[in-house]
Amino acid sequence: MKGNGQQIYIQEVVTRDGFQNECEFVDTAKKIRLVDQLSDCGFAKIEVSSFTSPKAIPALRDAEEVMQGIKRNPGVEYTALVPNVRGAERALACAVDEANLVMSTSESHNLSNLRMTREQSFSGLKQVIEELAPTDIAINVSLSTVFGCPMEGDVELDTVMSWAERFAELGVRGITLCDTTGMAYPTQVGDVVHAFKQRFSDLQLTVHLHNTRGMALSNALAAIDGGADRFDGALGGLGGCPYAPGASGNVCTEDLVHMLELMGYHTGVDLDRALSASSLLPGLVLREVPSQVLKAGKRLDLHPVPEFVRERLASSLA
């Protein structure tokens, strides 16, 4: 088998990245129950919510209630998106394990998404890092549009590396390379991940993929070939980017786990439990979700043999 038991860490982001774009507000108690269910699935991290302004993301206006209401599994890290110092203060009050900071490597996308230049974002995130530095909260920085911007096209690798370097110098634990707009393709992903691993071997690297053009699973395999061993995924394939025309959801967690386990990689994720949690999503967001394995079942979920076929087989063996 290709994977030979290699450990691949899966980080679940559905209750943040998945729910933030949904029109239907998911009830707080239902969010808490879902996170508790996810806690028993074997994920390395769960991104629970976002401490963004409730006016900006009303779907996650209950971040405190959710973070304070969940049951903590000691084998799971509970993370949240933290956009600014005020968000950092809220995260501290909720005792998150990790703060996930976000900015774009594309100037146009950063202005569209965050209403700031990249330098303004960096200055603000530096303040967040300084605020959290005396605490036990780990810091991860998600760099968006690493693999392409819908307004500028390709983002130079040197640009990506430069921003990663600036955050590494501030002492962050990890960097996430984000295909925010679903523009990545496999050879590109492999090359970028390999270059990143060569330069920043001490940083925890996560790859965040979207399936906008149907290449998320292929891109994941290319990222592994490049040296990645940690991926964000969204149950059901939920999520998207409001500033990427036609963008669809994140790589579907259960589809990714299903593929990797078949190939001999070890994710530690209980796929049956993950599918059970995913089956709740259509009732929560009031629409069908993109998950393929949820629709078709696992590869070896066999079906009953039709009676006429059973009779034909029996007669042929008589």
Side-chain angles (χ1 to χ4, degrees):
M1 283 189 174
K2 180 181 176 65
N4 294 321
Q6 178 186 346
Q7 177 71 55
I8 302 294
Y9 300 93
I10 306 296
Q11 305 174 171
E12 181 54 58
V13 303
V14 66
T15 53
R16 196 283 293 178
D17 201 347
F19 285 168
Q20 71 177 8
N21 289 322
E22 292 297 322
C23 297
E24 296 291 333
F25 178 77
V26 178
D27 180 76
T28 302
K30 292 179 180 178
K31 286 191 183 102
I32 292 171
R33 284 197 294 272
L34 179 59
V35 174
D36 287 347
Q37 194 166 348
L38 296 174
S39 292
D40 293 328
C41 289
F43 296 114
K45 296 181 187 179
I46 298 173
E47 190 174 36
V48 178
S49 194
S50 170
F51 290 106
T52 311
S53 165
K55 292 181 179 179
I57 306 182
L60 302 181
R61 61 181 180 265
D62 54 359
E64 277 91 351
E65 292 89 342
V66 175
M67 282 299 308
Q68 292 168 352
I70 61 175
K71 298 173 184 176
R72 306 277 183 114
N73 184 325
V76 180
E77 285 192 40
Y78 296 90
T79 180
L81 190 147
V82 174
N84 49 37
V85 171
R86 173 59 187 137
E89 293 168 350
R90 294 169 64 195
L92 273 168
C94 292
V96 301
D97 297 317
E98 179 187 76
N100 184 27
L101 285 49
V102 179
M103 67 164 282
S104 299
T105 56
S106 153
E107 186 80 345
S108 299
H109 190 272
N110 207 68
L111 285 165
S112 298
N113 192 36
L114 301 176
R115 303 293 192 270
M116 290 184 282
T117 67
R118 291 174 297 179
E119 287 296 340
Q120 288 172 327
S121 281
F122 180 79
S123 177
L125 296 181
K126 182 179 178 182
Q127 292 179 41
V128 173
I129 293 168
E130 291 169 349
E131 178 79 13
L132 297 178
T135 76
D136 293 330
I137 296 177
I139 299 172
N140 182 80
V141 177
S142 289
L143 295 177
S144 300
T145 62
V146 164
F147 302 98
C149 168
M151 291 161 279
E152 296 182 15
D154 287 330
V155 175
E156 293 293 330
L157 180 58
D158 285 347
T159 300
V160 174
M161 294 296 183
S162 174
W163 285 110
E165 182 73 49
R166 293 177 71 176
F167 282 109
E169 289 172 353
L170 295 178
V172 303
R173 178 177 70 169
I175 296 284
T176 300
L177 300 178
C178 301
D179 181 27
T180 318
T181 60
M183 295 172 68
Y185 57 92
T187 50
Q188 175 200 33
V189 171
D191 290 345
V192 171
V193 168
H194 178 73
F196 186 94
K197 291 290 289 184
Q198 290 290 105
R199 185 160 170 182
F200 302 107
S201 58
D202 293 336
L203 286 178
Q204 184 183 90
L205 169 65
T206 301
V207 178
H208 180 101
L209 300 168
H210 284 240
N211 200 40
T212 306
R213 291 168 178 84
M215 289 189 277
L217 293 180
S218 297
N219 287 335
L221 293 179
I224 292 172
D225 286 343
D229 63 359
R230 189 175 290 269
F231 293 88
D232 286 342
L235 211 67
L238 293 185
C241 175
Y243 300 103
S248 60
N250 293 274
V251 63
C252 176
T253 300
E254 56 266 39
D255 292 353
L256 178 62
V257 169
H258 181 256
M259 177 188 73
L260 292 176
E261 293 284 347
L262 286 173
M263 295 180 67
Y265 294 99
H266 176 66
T267 66
V269 175
D270 186 319
L271 183 55
D272 289 326
R273 288 187 176 184
L275 285 167
S276 177
S278 185
S279 70
L280 302 174
L281 293 176
L284 296 178
V285 300
L286 304 184
R287 65 179 180 87
E288 186 178 351
V289 298
S291 171
Q292 297 299 307
V293 177
L294 186 63
K295 296 172 186 174
K298 295 181 292 183
R299 174 177 173 267
L300 289 179
D301 285 347
L302 304 182
H303 302 277
V305 177
E307 185 59 34
F308 77 93
V309 174
R310 189 186 304 277
E311 293 172 357
R312 186 74 173 268
L313 290 172
S315 64
S316 67
L317 295 173

